[in-house]
Amino acid sequence: MSKLDDLKKAQELLGLYKAEWLNKDIFEYFSEPGYFDSLKTSRPCVLIGGRGTGKTTVLKGLSYEGQFALTEKGKDKSINEWSFYGMYYRVNTNRVTAFKGSELSEELWVKYFSHYINLIFCLELLKFCEWYEQITSTKITLNTKQWRKILTSWRLSQEINDISQLNEEVEILLIEFENALNSDIEEGRKLLTLLGVPIDILAKEILSLQNLKGKQFYFIIDEFENFEDYQQKVLNTMIKHGNDYYTFKIGVRELGYRQKETLNANEHLRSPADYEKIDLNEIFSDNFKGFATNVINSRLNQHYKSDSTFQISNILKSLSSSEEAELLIGKDTKSLIEFEQSLSNEDKKIYNSASLPHKYFIKYLSQNDKLNISELLLIFKNNDAAWKNKLNNYFYASLFAIKQGKPGIRKYYCGWDTYVAMSGNNIRYLLELVNTTLQEFLSDTAEDPSYDERTDIQISPSQQTNAAIKVGKKNLSEIEGLTVEGAKLKKLLLSLGRVFQVFASQSSGHAPELNQFEISKERDDPALFEKVDKLLTQSVMHLALTRSIGSKLQAETSIRDYDFMIHPIYSAFFVISYRKKRKMSLSSSSFIQLVESPTEGIKKILNQNNRTEDESSMPDQLQLFGEFYG
C-alpha cells in the first residue's frame, strides 16, 4: 500500500470529526485529555466548552460503556473494581421543551418535569443493571424489603422481583406519562413523584449489594444548555442536595449554564463549594497544541503500513513572514520599481541592498511613517533595535496589504501552528481544517501525473489556504441553522468580517492588526441593552465570536464587559488576522446596526476609523455576498 493510499484512509477517518459520526468507534480513537482525571472525582463537575471542543467524547468516555471500552476489554472482573459507573444522557430539546406552555403554571411544570427526570434517571440505572448482569453473568438479587421500597416509590405491583421486568414497567410508566402530557395533562398529575425520591431509593438499594458496595453512580448530562431555565433549577436542586449514591457530571456550552439558583430562590450553586468548574478555554490555553497533535497524528497513522509514520507538523508546510511576503509579491514588482525611481541616488543604494520582502516593507512604512524616507532607510541600514521594533510591530500586518485589490490568494494561512491557532482550541474545527486540506491535496495529486510518491508528503501553502477558506465558508453557511438567532449571527459575521478585512488591507498609518472590539460603556435604553446582550451571548455560545476578559474587568459581570473577536476559524475566509491583538470600541447602536442595516453599519464604522470601502478591495470569496454588502 502506498503513502497516498494510507493518507486517503486517514483522510476518511479525519472526516469523522463529530462524536456522533464515530458511533461505536468513538472509543477506539479516544485520546484522554489531561483534565480527564478531574472528572473522576466524587464531587459534581461542570465541563464548559464550545461546540466541537470534545465534551461529548470525554463525557461518553466516563460512561460505563466508555470505561469498559477504554479499559482492558473482556476482563469482567475489572468492572467490580471500578469506583464509579457513569450513565450518559444527552438532553433532547424536543422532549424537554414539551414541559412548558400556558396550560400550566411554572410551579406545576416543575412538578411534571421533576417526575420526568425521576423516570429518565431510574431507567438509566436499570439499563446499567441489565448491562452489568449481562457482562459479569452476575444476577442482581434484591430482598423482599428492598423490592417493596422500590416498587412503592413508583406505585407498581409488588409481584415484580426482576430487574428486567422493573425496567420494562418503568419504560411503560414513561410512555404513559408522555401520552398524558400530549393528551390529558390532568391525568398525568396522578402519576407524579417527588423530585429525586425514586432515584435515591433505587440507587441506594443497588449499591447495597456486595459487589457494588462503596461505588458511586455518575449521571452524565450532555448539552445542559438545552434545558429550560426552570429545568436547570430543578437539576441544580439535585446537585445542591446530593448524596453518597450518585453525583453529576455536566457538559455545557460557554454561557449555556444560565441559572445557578435551585428551586429555592435564596439558594445558589457556587464553584468550588458546590461543584468543580472545568473550563476548556482555560485548560486548553496552554496545552491544546500537544493534545491536538496526539489526536491528529493518531488518526493519521491508524491505517499506516509503511516503515515511518505521518507527522502533521511535517505535512503542513509553513512559511516565515519573509517567505510569505516574497510569495505574495511574486513577479509583480512594478510598484517597487516606481518607488525606487523616486529615491535619491544615495537612498537607492541602501534600498537596493534590501531583500525583496524588506523593499516592500520599506515602501509600506514610507506611506504613513512620521520619518522621512532617508531617515527610514538609515534605520534599516543600521539594523538596530528601532528597525527590529518596526518589523515586530508592523511586518506581519503589512502582508495583508500586498495584494490589495488583486485576485487570488491575498494572505496565506498555513502551517501546523497556524491551523492550531485558527481552530481556537476547538478539536472539531482542527479536524475539519486538516481533513479539508488533505482533500485539497489528494484531489490535486490525483490530477497531477508528475507527482512522485517517493518524496515526503507536504501540502503547499496555497492548498492549505484554500482549504481554510472553504472551512470558514462552510461554517458561515451552517451557523444559520444552529439557532433561531442564526440568521442574525450570519449577518453579524459578514458585517464584522468586512469591517476587519478593510482594516487589515488598509493598515498603513493605523494601529496594526485591529481585530477585536469592546462595547462602549454608554447609557442604553433597556430594549437596546437587552438586544446587545442577547446577540453577544448567542454569538459566543455558537462560536461566531470568542470572548476574553477585558483589560479593566475585575470579575465576571455582564457579557458586555468582555473583549470580543471573530472566531479565528473565519480568519482565512475574511482575510484577517487570527491573532488576538488590538481592539476598537463599538457603541451598542453601531453593533446592532451591523445586523439590522449592514451596509450603513459597515460604512459608519469604517468612516469613524478613517477607512473607505472599495469594492475592488473585496476578496474573491466575499464577492459571493455582493448582494448583502450592497
Side-chain angles (χ1 to χ4, degrees):
M1 187 179 289
S2 68
K3 283 185 179 180
L4 282 182
D5 288 333
D6 285 331
L7 199 61
K8 285 175 186 175
K9 285 185 175 291
Q11 183 266 314
E12 291 170 6
L13 181 56
L14 285 162
L16 301 173
Y17 44 78
K18 290 186 178 182
E20 53 267 34
W21 292 350
L22 285 167
N23 295 320
K24 294 180 180 179
D25 294 330
I26 188 170
F27 305 116
E28 187 174 345
Y29 310 116
F30 181 80
S31 294
E32 187 173 298
Y35 63 84
F36 197 56
D37 284 342
S38 299
L39 288 165
K40 294 181 178 180
T41 63
S42 60
R43 62 185 311 200
C45 296
V46 177
L47 183 62
I48 302 171
R51 173 175 48 91
T53 48
K55 298 189 305 298
T56 295
T57 303
V58 168
L59 292 173
K60 284 189 173 182
L62 276 179
S63 69
Y64 57 86
E65 298 100 323
Q67 288 295 292
F68 184 66
L70 295 173
T71 54
E72 297 178 76
K73 295 181 182 179
K75 289 201 171 184
D76 303 343
K77 291 180 181 178
S78 66
I79 295 172
N80 290 324
E81 296 169 5
W82 297 354
S83 61
F84 67 89
Y85 302 101
M87 286 145 293
Y88 176 85
Y89 167 69
R90 176 179 169 271
V91 180
N92 186 318
T93 307
N94 293 331
R95 297 285 194 276
V96 297
T97 53
F99 293 87
K100 67 176 183 178
S102 58
E103 60 268 39
L104 291 178
S105 65
E106 186 172 290
E107 185 180 356
L108 281 174
W109 277 126
V110 166
K111 293 180 179 181
Y112 277 73
F113 180 72
S114 297
H115 177 69
Y116 177 73
I117 285 296
N118 288 341
L119 284 164
I120 292 297
F121 287 174
C122 279
L123 279 173
E124 291 295 336
L125 286 170
L126 293 169
K127 276 164 53 181
F128 161 76
C129 289
E130 287 193 323
W131 176 88
Y132 180 87
E133 287 183 337
Q134 181 183 354
I135 295 297
T136 63
S137 300
T138 303
K139 186 77 173 173
I140 291 180
T141 305
L142 301 172
N143 61 40
T144 304
K145 187 177 179 181
Q146 290 173 315
W147 275 115
R148 187 178 178 188
K149 289 179 186 177
I150 293 169
L151 296 172
T152 301
S153 71
W154 289 112
R155 306 187 192 93
L156 288 171
S157 166
Q158 297 294 322
E159 296 174 2
I160 298 171
N161 59 5
D162 177 82
I163 288 293
S164 295
Q165 193 179 358
L166 177 61
N167 187 26
E168 186 179 336
E169 289 298 322
V170 176
E171 275 192 289
I172 291 170
L173 287 177
L174 176 61
I175 294 168
E176 288 176 346
F177 182 61
E178 289 174 337
N179 286 340
L181 205 63
N182 286 326
S183 55
D184 187 354
I185 202 162
E186 285 298 321
E187 187 66 24
R189 194 177 299 193
K190 300 175 185 177
L191 307 172
L192 300 182
T193 51
L194 196 62
L195 177 63
V197 171
I199 306 171
D200 292 350
I201 293 171
L202 181 59
K204 178 183 177 181
E205 300 308 333
I206 293 170
L207 293 179
S208 69
L209 300 175
Q210 186 60 41
N211 288 343
L212 299 174
K213 274 185 179 177
K215 314 297 185 184
Q216 190 179 39
F217 290 120
Y218 288 1
F219 289 118
I220 303 163
I221 306 175
D222 198 4
E223 300 188 17
F224 192 80
E225 66 276 1
N226 290 341
F227 280 133
E228 298 292 317
D229 283 3
Y230 85 84
Q231 294 169 354
Q232 290 193 356
K233 292 179 185 179
V234 170
L235 270 299
N236 288 345
T237 305
M238 296 186 73
I239 295 169
K240 184 78 172 179
H241 301 283
N243 52 51
D244 294 335
Y245 311 123
Y246 57 83
T247 189
F248 292 87
K249 309 295 176 180
I250 290 171
V252 64
R253 290 187 187 180
E254 188 175 4
L255 301 180
Y257 201 170
R258 301 177 302 278
Q259 297 294 324
K260 299 295 174 62
E261 290 180 11
T262 68
L263 293 174
N264 178 350
N266 298 317
E267 195 174 58
H268 290 73
L269 260 67
R270 303 187 187 281
S271 172
D274 299 307
Y275 66 92
E276 182 176 359
K277 176 183 172 184
I278 302 175
D279 190 328
L280 295 184
N281 280 336
E282 294 176 6
I283 288 173
F284 283 150
S285 61
D286 296 324
N287 59 9
F288 178 74
K289 182 181 175 182
F291 169 68
T293 302
N294 290 337
V295 171
I296 300 294
N297 282 342
S298 67
R299 293 202 184 190
L300 277 175
N301 297 295
Q302 187 69 26
H303 300 288
Y304 200 85
K305 307 298 181 186
S306 304
D307 294 334
S308 57
T309 56
F310 290 127
Q311 295 293 322
I312 190 61
S313 56
N314 296 333
I315 290 174
L316 301 179
K317 179 177 171 56
S318 60
L319 291 172
S320 67
S321 293
S322 291
E323 289 171 334
E324 183 174 354
E326 198 153 353
L327 199 57
L328 288 167
I329 295 166
K331 297 178 181 179
D332 188 9
T333 57
K334 182 180 177 182
S335 64
L336 298 182
I337 294 170
E338 291 173 352
F339 177 72
E340 179 192 341
Q341 290 171 349
S342 69
L343 301 175
S344 67
N345 289 334
E346 190 62 32
D347 287 344
K348 279 182 183 178
K349 289 180 182 178
I350 301 174
Y351 184 71
N352 284 324
S353 68
S355 63
L356 182 63
H358 282 182
K359 281 183 178 180
Y360 160 74
F361 187 53
I362 292 167
K363 175 181 174 292
Y364 171 86
L365 290 175
S366 71
Q367 294 169 0
N368 282 285
D369 203 288
K370 294 178 181 178
L371 300 172
N372 65 46
I373 187 60
S374 295
E375 291 174 314
L376 184 60
L377 285 166
L378 190 60
I379 290 173
F380 161 72
K381 181 181 178 182
N382 293 336
N383 194 28
D384 56 13
W387 176 250
K388 288 172 184 174
N389 189 50
K390 288 185 182 294
L391 285 173
N392 289 334
N393 289 333
Y394 299 100
F395 190 79
Y396 182 82
S398 77
L399 298 176
F400 291 89
I402 292 177
K403 295 194 72 173
Q404 183 183 0
K406 297 172 184 175
I409 292 175
R410 298 192 182 185
K411 173 74 178 66
Y412 286 96
Y413 296 81
C414 58
W416 177 234
D417 287 346
T418 297
Y419 266 32
V420 170
M422 287 176 64
S423 74
N425 296 341
N426 186 300
I427 195 65
R428 184 185 299 177
Y429 280 160
L430 191 55
L431 284 163
E432 193 175 355
L433 283 167
V434 175
N435 171 57
T436 307
T437 202
L438 287 177
Q439 283 180 329
E440 285 280 313
F441 171 77
L442 291 168
S443 176
D444 291 349
T445 304
E447 298 170 5
D448 182 7
S450 65
Y451 181 78
D452 186 355
E453 282 205 43
R454 291 172 297 179
T455 60
D456 289 333
I457 290 175
Q458 197 170 65
I459 301 175
S460 71
S462 59
Q463 288 168 327
Q464 294 178 60
T465 302
N466 287 331
I469 291 170
K470 284 183 178 180
V471 170
K473 181 184 175 185
K474 171 185 170 292
N475 281 285
L476 179 66
S477 65
E478 287 181 350
I479 203 165
E480 246 177 318
L482 294 177
T483 168
V484 292
E485 301 289 333
K488 291 181 180 178
L489 299 188
K490 186 175 181 179
K491 288 180 180 178
L492 179 65
L493 276 173
L494 285 168
S495 297
L496 279 172
R498 177 58 171 155
V499 167
F500 288 122
Q501 183 268 317
V502 174
F503 284 175
S505 63
Q506 299 177 23
S507 59
S508 181
H510 301 279
E513 291 186 78
L514 180 58
N515 63 350
Q516 292 189 88
F517 68 93
E518 64 177 0
I519 301 297
S520 58
K521 310 299 184 290
E522 58 185 23
R523 291 184 178 179
D524 298 330
D525 66 82
L528 183 59
F529 188 95
E530 187 178 341
K531 268 186 180 181
V532 172
D533 273 24
K534 185 176 182 180
L535 190 54
L536 286 172
T537 299
Q538 289 290 310
S539 297
V540 173
M541 275 188 67
H542 297 285
L543 305 183
L545 303 177
T546 63
R547 66 170 183 161
S548 55
I549 294 177
S551 55
K552 296 180 181 178
L553 186 61
Q554 299 300 317
E556 291 188 25
T557 52
S558 168
I559 177 104
R560 294 152 51 93
D561 294 327
Y562 288 79
D563 295 338
F564 301 90
M565 68 179 285
I566 293 174
H567 195 289
I569 196 66
Y570 299 105
S571 55
F573 180 78
F574 289 117
V575 195
I576 57 178
S577 175
Y578 53 81
R579 310 192 307 184
K580 194 182 297 180
K581 290 293 182 177
R582 292 162 181 83
K583 68 179 178 182
M584 66 173 176
S585 187
L586 274 183
S587 68
S588 295
S589 55
S590 294
F591 179 70
I592 292 299
Q593 194 176 23
L594 290 173
V595 174
E596 296 182 349
S597 304
T599 305
E600 292 81 4
I602 293 168
K603 186 176 181 180
K604 177 183 175 182
I605 294 171
L606 292 177
N607 288 340
Q608 289 172 344
N609 289 272
N610 301 315
R611 262 79 160 201
T612 56
E613 191 174 15
D614 178 5
E615 273 192 33
S616 67
S617 70
M618 191 176 288
D620 298 348
Q621 60 271 19
L622 289 192
Q623 291 177 19
L624 297 171
F625 298 92
E627 187 176 339
F628 173 84
Y629 292 118

